[in-house]
PDB file of all heavy atoms in Angstrom:
ATOM      1  N   ALA A 195     -40.937 -17.150  28.281  1.00 97.00           N
ATOM      2  CA  ALA A 195     -40.796 -16.313  27.078  1.00 97.00           C
ATOM      3  C   ALA A 195     -41.330 -14.909  27.363  1.00 97.00           C
ATOM      4  O   ALA A 195     -40.702 -13.899  27.010  1.00 97.00           O
ATOM      5  CB  ALA A 195     -41.559 -16.952  25.919  1.00 97.00           C
ATOM      6  N   LYS A 198     -39.019 -12.973  29.582  1.00 97.00           N
ATOM      7  CA  LYS A 198     -37.801 -12.557  28.867  1.00 97.00           C
ATOM      8  C   LYS A 198     -38.063 -11.292  28.056  1.00 97.00           C
ATOM      9  O   LYS A 198     -37.249 -10.375  28.043  1.00 97.00           O
ATOM     10  CB  LYS A 198     -37.354 -13.707  27.961  1.00 97.00           C
ATOM     11  CG  LYS A 198     -35.890 -13.733  27.677  1.00 97.00           C
ATOM     12  CD  LYS A 198     -35.433 -15.086  27.161  1.00 97.00           C
ATOM     13  CE  LYS A 198     -36.248 -15.603  26.003  1.00 97.00           C
ATOM     14  NZ  LYS A 198     -35.753 -16.855  25.456  1.00 97.00           N
ATOM     15  N   VAL A 199     -39.210 -11.253  27.395  1.00 98.00           N
ATOM     16  CA  VAL A 199     -39.554 -10.074  26.595  1.00 98.00           C
ATOM     17  C   VAL A 199     -39.752  -8.861  27.513  1.00 98.00           C
ATOM     18  O   VAL A 199     -39.306  -7.754  27.200  1.00 98.00           O
ATOM     19  CB  VAL A 199     -40.823 -10.342  25.744  1.00 98.00           C
ATOM     20  CG1 VAL A 199     -41.200  -9.130  24.919  1.00 98.00           C
ATOM     21  CG2 VAL A 199     -40.611 -11.541  24.837  1.00 98.00           C
ATOM     22  N   LEU A 202     -36.370  -7.621  28.593  1.00 97.00           N
ATOM     23  CA  LEU A 202     -35.711  -6.880  27.508  1.00 97.00           C
ATOM     24  C   LEU A 202     -36.281  -5.469  27.434  1.00 97.00           C
ATOM     25  O   LEU A 202     -35.544  -4.487  27.244  1.00 97.00           O
ATOM     26  CB  LEU A 202     -35.897  -7.653  26.201  1.00 97.00           C
ATOM     27  CG  LEU A 202     -35.079  -7.269  24.960  1.00 97.00           C
ATOM     28  CD1 LEU A 202     -35.647  -6.100  24.191  1.00 97.00           C
ATOM     29  CD2 LEU A 202     -33.608  -7.036  25.255  1.00 97.00           C
ATOM     30  N   LEU A 218     -40.692  -1.033  21.058  1.00 97.00           N
ATOM     31  CA  LEU A 218     -40.314  -1.481  19.710  1.00 97.00           C
ATOM     32  C   LEU A 218     -39.182  -2.507  19.792  1.00 97.00           C
ATOM     33  O   LEU A 218     -39.189  -3.513  19.070  1.00 97.00           O
ATOM     34  CB  LEU A 218     -39.853  -0.248  18.907  1.00 97.00           C
ATOM     35  CG  LEU A 218     -40.099  -0.245  17.410  1.00 97.00           C
ATOM     36  CD1 LEU A 218     -41.553  -0.503  17.081  1.00 97.00           C
ATOM     37  CD2 LEU A 218     -39.642   1.087  16.807  1.00 97.00           C
ATOM     38  N   ALA A 219     -38.227  -2.237  20.688  1.00 97.00           N
ATOM     39  CA  ALA A 219     -37.097  -3.179  20.872  1.00 97.00           C
ATOM     40  C   ALA A 219     -37.631  -4.535  21.327  1.00 97.00           C
ATOM     41  O   ALA A 219     -37.174  -5.583  20.853  1.00 97.00           O
ATOM     42  CB  ALA A 219     -36.115  -2.624  21.890  1.00 97.00           C
ATOM     43  N   ALA A 220     -38.616  -4.509  22.249  1.00 97.00           N
ATOM     44  CA  ALA A 220     -39.198  -5.766  22.736  1.00 97.00           C
ATOM     45  C   ALA A 220     -39.890  -6.507  21.589  1.00 97.00           C
ATOM     46  O   ALA A 220     -39.774  -7.734  21.459  1.00 97.00           O
ATOM     47  CB  ALA A 220     -40.174  -5.491  23.869  1.00 97.00           C
ATOM     48  N   LEU A 221     -40.591  -5.754  20.738  1.00 97.00           N
ATOM     49  CA  LEU A 221     -41.280  -6.374  19.598  1.00 97.00           C
ATOM     50  C   LEU A 221     -40.265  -7.007  18.639  1.00 97.00           C
ATOM     51  O   LEU A 221     -40.431  -8.153  18.200  1.00 97.00           O
ATOM     52  CB  LEU A 221     -42.124  -5.315  18.860  1.00 97.00           C
ATOM     53  CG  LEU A 221     -42.826  -5.797  17.598  1.00 97.00           C
ATOM     54  CD1 LEU A 221     -43.918  -6.808  17.930  1.00 97.00           C
ATOM     55  CD2 LEU A 221     -43.438  -4.617  16.829  1.00 97.00           C
ATOM     56  N   PHE A 222     -39.189  -6.264  18.343  1.00 97.00           N
ATOM     57  CA  PHE A 222     -38.160  -6.799  17.436  1.00 97.00           C
ATOM     58  C   PHE A 222     -37.432  -7.988  18.072  1.00 97.00           C
ATOM     59  O   PHE A 222     -36.982  -8.890  17.374  1.00 97.00           O
ATOM     60  CB  PHE A 222     -37.150  -5.709  17.056  1.00 97.00           C
ATOM     61  CG  PHE A 222     -37.726  -4.631  16.172  1.00 97.00           C
ATOM     62  CD1 PHE A 222     -37.158  -3.366  16.116  1.00 97.00           C
ATOM     63  CD2 PHE A 222     -38.840  -4.880  15.384  1.00 97.00           C
ATOM     64  CE1 PHE A 222     -37.689  -2.372  15.302  1.00 97.00           C
ATOM     65  CE2 PHE A 222     -39.388  -3.898  14.573  1.00 97.00           C
ATOM     66  CZ  PHE A 222     -38.806  -2.642  14.534  1.00 97.00           C
ATOM     67  N   PHE A 223     -37.336  -7.959  19.389  1.00 97.00           N
ATOM     68  CA  PHE A 223     -36.710  -9.079  20.102  1.00 97.00           C
ATOM     69  C   PHE A 223     -37.518 -10.361  19.878  1.00 97.00           C
ATOM     70  O   PHE A 223     -36.963 -11.448  19.750  1.00 97.00           O
ATOM     71  CB  PHE A 223     -36.640  -8.743  21.597  1.00 97.00           C
ATOM     72  CG  PHE A 223     -36.026  -9.815  22.445  1.00 97.00           C
ATOM     73  CD1 PHE A 223     -34.654  -9.934  22.568  1.00 97.00           C
ATOM     74  CD2 PHE A 223     -36.825 -10.716  23.136  1.00 97.00           C
ATOM     75  CE1 PHE A 223     -34.086 -10.921  23.353  1.00 97.00           C
ATOM     76  CE2 PHE A 223     -36.264 -11.708  23.925  1.00 97.00           C
ATOM     77  CZ  PHE A 223     -34.897 -11.815  24.033  1.00 97.00           C
ATOM     78  N   VAL A 224     -38.835 -10.195  19.816  1.00 97.00           N
ATOM     79  CA  VAL A 224     -39.702 -11.357  19.580  1.00 97.00           C
ATOM     80  C   VAL A 224     -39.591 -11.820  18.120  1.00 97.00           C
ATOM     81  O   VAL A 224     -39.554 -13.021  17.837  1.00 97.00           O
ATOM     82  CB  VAL A 224     -41.177 -11.009  19.903  1.00 97.00           C
ATOM     83  CG1 VAL A 224     -42.114 -12.153  19.548  1.00 97.00           C
ATOM     84  CG2 VAL A 224     -41.328 -10.648  21.375  1.00 97.00           C
ATOM     85  N   LEU A 225     -39.499 -10.849  17.214  1.00 96.00           N
ATOM     86  CA  LEU A 225     -39.593 -11.167  15.792  1.00 96.00           C
ATOM     87  C   LEU A 225     -38.271 -11.580  15.135  1.00 96.00           C
ATOM     88  O   LEU A 225     -38.243 -12.499  14.328  1.00 96.00           O
ATOM     89  CB  LEU A 225     -40.156  -9.960  15.028  1.00 96.00           C
ATOM     90  CG  LEU A 225     -41.624  -9.608  15.284  1.00 96.00           C
ATOM     91  CD1 LEU A 225     -41.992  -8.319  14.568  1.00 96.00           C
ATOM     92  CD2 LEU A 225     -42.541 -10.738  14.812  1.00 96.00           C
ATOM     93  N   LEU A 226     -37.186 -10.834  15.459  1.00 95.00           N
ATOM     94  CA  LEU A 226     -35.950 -11.023  14.693  1.00 95.00           C
ATOM     95  C   LEU A 226     -35.097 -12.157  15.274  1.00 95.00           C
ATOM     96  O   LEU A 226     -34.829 -12.178  16.463  1.00 95.00           O
ATOM     97  CB  LEU A 226     -35.137  -9.732  14.689  1.00 95.00           C
ATOM     98  CG  LEU A 226     -35.798  -8.552  13.972  1.00 95.00           C
ATOM     99  CD1 LEU A 226     -34.988  -7.280  14.174  1.00 95.00           C
ATOM    100  CD2 LEU A 226     -35.963  -8.835  12.486  1.00 95.00           C
ATOM    101  N   PRO A 227     -34.640 -13.073  14.415  1.00 93.00           N
ATOM    102  CA  PRO A 227     -33.806 -14.168  14.937  1.00 93.00           C
ATOM    103  C   PRO A 227     -32.427 -13.661  15.347  1.00 93.00           C
ATOM    104  O   PRO A 227     -31.941 -12.662  14.833  1.00 93.00           O
ATOM    105  CB  PRO A 227     -33.701 -15.121  13.746  1.00 93.00           C
ATOM    106  CG  PRO A 227     -33.934 -14.274  12.553  1.00 93.00           C
ATOM    107  CD  PRO A 227     -34.842 -13.159  12.969  1.00 93.00           C
ATOM    108  N   ILE A 229     -29.000 -14.533  18.560  1.00 84.00           N
ATOM    109  CA  ILE A 229     -28.538 -15.368  19.659  1.00 84.00           C
ATOM    110  C   ILE A 229     -29.331 -14.923  20.882  1.00 84.00           C
ATOM    111  O   ILE A 229     -29.162 -13.836  21.364  1.00 84.00           O
ATOM    112  CB  ILE A 229     -27.039 -15.145  19.930  1.00 84.00           C
ATOM    113  CG1 ILE A 229     -26.264 -15.039  18.634  1.00 84.00           C
ATOM    114  CG2 ILE A 229     -26.473 -16.220  20.837  1.00 84.00           C
ATOM    115  CD1 ILE A 229     -26.343 -16.220  17.752  1.00 84.00           C
ATOM    116  N   GLY A 230     -30.190 -15.759  21.375  1.00 81.00           N
ATOM    117  CA  GLY A 230     -30.967 -15.387  22.562  1.00 81.00           C
ATOM    118  C   GLY A 230     -32.316 -14.820  22.199  1.00 81.00           C
ATOM    119  O   GLY A 230     -33.327 -15.267  22.711  1.00 81.00           O
ATOM    120  N   ASN A 231     -32.364 -13.871  21.277  1.00 84.00           N
ATOM    121  CA  ASN A 231     -33.671 -13.323  20.929  1.00 84.00           C
ATOM    122  C   ASN A 231     -34.401 -14.254  19.961  1.00 84.00           C
ATOM    123  O   ASN A 231     -33.782 -15.053  19.266  1.00 84.00           O
ATOM    124  CB  ASN A 231     -33.593 -11.907  20.354  1.00 84.00           C
ATOM    125  CG  ASN A 231     -32.512 -11.727  19.351  1.00 84.00           C
ATOM    126  OD1 ASN A 231     -31.357 -11.802  19.677  1.00 84.00           O
ATOM    127  ND2 ASN A 231     -32.888 -11.498  18.119  1.00 84.00           N
ATOM    128  N   SER A 232     -35.719 -14.126  19.974  1.00 84.00           N
ATOM    129  CA  SER A 232     -36.601 -14.893  19.095  1.00 84.00           C
ATOM    130  C   SER A 232     -36.663 -16.392  19.449  1.00 84.00           C
ATOM    131  O   SER A 232     -37.649 -17.038  19.194  1.00 84.00           O
ATOM    132  CB  SER A 232     -36.185 -14.726  17.632  1.00 84.00           C
ATOM    133  OG  SER A 232     -37.126 -15.320  16.794  1.00 84.00           O
ATOM    134  N   TYR A 233     -35.627 -16.933  20.094  1.00 89.00           N
ATOM    135  CA  TYR A 233     -35.641 -18.347  20.470  1.00 89.00           C
ATOM    136  C   TYR A 233     -36.498 -18.531  21.720  1.00 89.00           C
ATOM    137  O   TYR A 233     -36.003 -18.860  22.792  1.00 89.00           O
ATOM    138  CB  TYR A 233     -34.231 -18.858  20.719  1.00 89.00           C
ATOM    139  CG  TYR A 233     -33.533 -19.242  19.453  1.00 89.00           C
ATOM    140  CD1 TYR A 233     -32.708 -18.355  18.797  1.00 89.00           C
ATOM    141  CD2 TYR A 233     -33.738 -20.490  18.895  1.00 89.00           C
ATOM    142  CE1 TYR A 233     -32.092 -18.690  17.613  1.00 89.00           C
ATOM    143  CE2 TYR A 233     -33.135 -20.835  17.712  1.00 89.00           C
ATOM    144  CZ  TYR A 233     -32.303 -19.935  17.071  1.00 89.00           C
ATOM    145  OH  TYR A 233     -31.706 -20.276  15.910  1.00 89.00           O
ATOM    146  N   LEU A 234     -37.777 -18.303  21.541  1.00 93.00           N
ATOM    147  CA  LEU A 234     -38.649 -18.313  22.705  1.00 93.00           C
ATOM    148  C   LEU A 234     -39.045 -19.723  23.134  1.00 93.00           C
ATOM    149  O   LEU A 234     -39.481 -19.936  24.247  1.00 93.00           O
ATOM    150  CB  LEU A 234     -39.896 -17.469  22.424  1.00 93.00           C
ATOM    151  CG  LEU A 234     -39.612 -15.993  22.095  1.00 93.00           C
ATOM    152  CD1 LEU A 234     -40.901 -15.236  21.814  1.00 93.00           C
ATOM    153  CD2 LEU A 234     -38.859 -15.300  23.212  1.00 93.00           C
ATOM    154  N   PHE A 249     -30.877  -9.190  31.629  1.00 97.00           N
ATOM    155  CA  PHE A 249     -31.477  -7.989  31.026  1.00 97.00           C
ATOM    156  C   PHE A 249     -31.877  -6.995  32.119  1.00 97.00           C
ATOM    157  O   PHE A 249     -31.621  -5.794  31.998  1.00 97.00           O
ATOM    158  CB  PHE A 249     -32.720  -8.348  30.205  1.00 97.00           C
ATOM    159  CG  PHE A 249     -32.440  -9.190  28.977  1.00 97.00           C
ATOM    160  CD1 PHE A 249     -33.414 -10.029  28.449  1.00 97.00           C
ATOM    161  CD2 PHE A 249     -31.216  -9.139  28.355  1.00 97.00           C
ATOM    162  CE1 PHE A 249     -33.161 -10.806  27.323  1.00 97.00           C
ATOM    163  CE2 PHE A 249     -30.945  -9.912  27.222  1.00 97.00           C
ATOM    164  CZ  PHE A 249     -31.919 -10.747  26.721  1.00 97.00           C
ATOM    165  N   TRP A 520     -27.173  -7.259  20.060  1.00 94.00           N
ATOM    166  CA  TRP A 520     -28.350  -6.441  20.399  1.00 94.00           C
ATOM    167  C   TRP A 520     -29.033  -5.839  19.184  1.00 94.00           C
ATOM    168  O   TRP A 520     -29.458  -4.678  19.238  1.00 94.00           O
ATOM    169  CB  TRP A 520     -27.968  -5.264  21.309  1.00 94.00           C
ATOM    170  CG  TRP A 520     -27.342  -5.561  22.629  1.00 94.00           C
ATOM    171  CD1 TRP A 520     -26.159  -5.082  23.062  1.00 94.00           C
ATOM    172  CD2 TRP A 520     -27.868  -6.342  23.717  1.00 94.00           C
ATOM    173  NE1 TRP A 520     -25.906  -5.531  24.335  1.00 94.00           N
ATOM    174  CE2 TRP A 520     -26.937  -6.302  24.756  1.00 94.00           C
ATOM    175  CE3 TRP A 520     -29.043  -7.080  23.877  1.00 94.00           C
ATOM    176  CZ2 TRP A 520     -27.125  -6.969  25.954  1.00 94.00           C
ATOM    177  CZ3 TRP A 520     -29.229  -7.747  25.069  1.00 94.00           C
ATOM    178  CH2 TRP A 520     -28.274  -7.681  26.091  1.00 94.00           C
ATOM    179  N   PRO A 522     -32.019  -6.180  17.841  1.00 96.00           N
ATOM    180  CA  PRO A 522     -33.381  -5.638  17.980  1.00 96.00           C
ATOM    181  C   PRO A 522     -33.369  -4.224  18.571  1.00 96.00           C
ATOM    182  O   PRO A 522     -34.153  -3.364  18.170  1.00 96.00           O
ATOM    183  CB  PRO A 522     -34.052  -6.624  18.934  1.00 96.00           C
ATOM    184  CG  PRO A 522     -33.279  -7.876  18.810  1.00 96.00           C
ATOM    185  CD  PRO A 522     -31.874  -7.457  18.572  1.00 96.00           C
ATOM    186  N   LEU A 523     -32.450  -3.986  19.499  1.00 97.00           N
ATOM    187  CA  LEU A 523     -32.375  -2.651  20.119  1.00 97.00           C
ATOM    188  C   LEU A 523     -31.837  -1.622  19.129  1.00 97.00           C
ATOM    189  O   LEU A 523     -32.349  -0.500  19.047  1.00 97.00           O
ATOM    190  CB  LEU A 523     -31.463  -2.689  21.349  1.00 97.00           C
ATOM    191  CG  LEU A 523     -32.149  -3.046  22.650  1.00 97.00           C
ATOM    192  CD1 LEU A 523     -32.079  -4.523  22.889  1.00 97.00           C
ATOM    193  CD2 LEU A 523     -31.509  -2.315  23.802  1.00 97.00           C
TER     194      LEU A 523
ATOM    195  N   TRP B  42     -40.322 -20.154  17.379  1.00 94.00           N
ATOM    196  CA  TRP B  42     -41.773 -20.144  17.527  1.00 94.00           C
ATOM    197  C   TRP B  42     -42.422 -19.873  16.174  1.00 94.00           C
ATOM    198  O   TRP B  42     -41.811 -19.251  15.301  1.00 94.00           O
ATOM    199  CB  TRP B  42     -42.204 -19.100  18.563  1.00 94.00           C
ATOM    200  CG  TRP B  42     -41.910 -17.671  18.196  1.00 94.00           C
ATOM    201  CD1 TRP B  42     -40.770 -16.980  18.486  1.00 94.00           C
ATOM    202  CD2 TRP B  42     -42.754 -16.761  17.480  1.00 94.00           C
ATOM    203  NE1 TRP B  42     -40.853 -15.699  17.999  1.00 94.00           N
ATOM    204  CE2 TRP B  42     -42.052 -15.531  17.379  1.00 94.00           C
ATOM    205  CE3 TRP B  42     -44.024 -16.848  16.917  1.00 94.00           C
ATOM    206  CZ2 TRP B  42     -42.584 -14.412  16.741  1.00 94.00           C
ATOM    207  CZ3 TRP B  42     -44.548 -15.740  16.270  1.00 94.00           C
ATOM    208  CH2 TRP B  42     -43.829 -14.541  16.197  1.00 94.00           C
TER     209      TRP B  42
END
Side-chain angles (χ1 to χ4, degrees):
Chain A
K198 207 162 51 176
V199 180
L202 192 278
L218 211 54
L221 176 67
F222 291 157
F223 180 83
V224 175
L225 291 174
L226 295 173
I229 319 300
N231 44 294
S232 187
Y233 277 95
L234 300 179
F249 294 154
W520 300 124
L523 272 92
Chain B
W42 65 270

